[in-house]
Amino acid sequence: MSDHPASREGLSRDDVLYWLRETDEARLEELWRAADDTRRLWVGDQVHLRGLVELSNYCVRGCTYCGIRAGNRGIERYRLPAGVVLECARKALEFGYGTLVMQSGEDYGIETEWLADVVHRVKEQTGLAITLSLGERPRADLAAWRSAGADRYLLRFETSDDALYRHIHPDLPGQVSDRLADLRTLQELGYEAGTGIMVGIPGQTYATIADDIELFRGFDMDMIGIGPYLPHPATPLGEEFARRAAAGDWVADQTLNDELTTCKVIALTRLARPDANLPATTALSLVNKSAGRAHGLQRGANVVMPNLTPVRERTKYEIYPEKATVYESAEAINAGIVALLDTLGRTVGVGAGGRRR
Ligand code: SAM
């Protein structure tokens, strides 16, 4: 038995660092078991399915990691019409999902009133819970969408290391990006607020991730999305990643963007925030195509976000290369997830699947 039992109440920062560095598979079983037991005890065996619609790939931002950043001239841009979004919402209802997630680049072409109307119509026609994830929009927009019926908002702070954040997420002119302040605003407006990080960003250390997990705890976040950083070749960070990999030029204690490290972060987050909703992310399913999603669900996760975006637009929402299941229909993605849950002895979540307090 290690000095850092994963089942102990209130994992310390030292415990977190210990587990992030642990490589012994037999000992890691202890972490996986503790995370899975905690997940079962606090949020049960239901896996909530949130249908994802990628509204638009226009973006004003220059995030150095992201394939749909404004500076990428190599992709064709799109915005879904309201009718298509409503069709996706009806499909979510037909598949038995409890939530529709609308995500996009930070696109001010998505006008406040237009989205408020779409939110209102989706709510009226389907009764689904609505999650938005549209970047750092002004408080007035967030308030309008909340009044129109939006329930939740996702905004990852990406990393708690301020210098690294500034490196990967440049400010817009005359406007300092402060996603922690934005998360507080969302909580004030009555949204269930979700956040998250990428694992394995060049320059990110294990100590940074221990700090990220402390922040999840301190912020009492309802949802926490954790996925590996997947280098996109047409981005500055993707180029930096390739250069560093070729030269072996990493910071001391550099984190890895692999399945094992991502699963450790999910498991430790489950222990730190037992009642949060944690997705087994698409990015995780891509680093291990045969078992990544299953491992996420067996090591702390309780949510999956099946993609409902029409295939033609989905292929253009390439935040990282080869997004998993890009060419599969929504029906095929749904069937695959339902079959997976069956083999794991888990059930499809019933109802909106908000945070149980
Ligand atoms: N524009 C909104 C925002 O920034 O929150 C929502 C869309 S953004 C594409 C959603 C998330 O995708 C980001 O928070 C980031 O963590 C993740 N992401 C973007 N590029 C990625 C990459 N290359 N590898 C892994 N995750 C990535």
Side-chain angles (χ1 to χ4, degrees), residues 308-346:
L308 295 171
T309 315
V311 171
R312 199 160 63 94
E313 283 79 16
R314 206 189 309 153
T315 54
K316 297 176 190 155
Y317 197 85
E318 206 180 48
I319 55 180
Y320 38 75
E322 271 189 85
K323 238 174 48 186
T325 64
V326 148
Y327 299 104
E328 276 186 291
S329 67
E331 284 74 10
I333 294 173
N334 180 58
I337 291 170
V338 171
L340 172 68
L341 298 189
D342 202 38
T343 64
L344 298 178
R346 305 277 282 277

Side-chain angles (χ1 to χ4, degrees), residues 59 63 65-68 103-106 133-136 154-156 158 169 179 197-198 227-232 283 317 319-321:
C59 191
C63 304
Y65 47 85
C66 187
I68 63 168
Q103 199 190 73
S104 74
E106 196 167 311
S133 181
L134 290 90
E136 299 163 46
L154 301 175
L155 190 70
R156 292 184 178 184
E158 316 292 1
H169 188 91
R179 288 193 162 202
I197 59 164
M198 289 179 288
Y229 161 61
L230 299 174
H232 190 303
Y317 197 85
I319 55 180
Y320 38 75

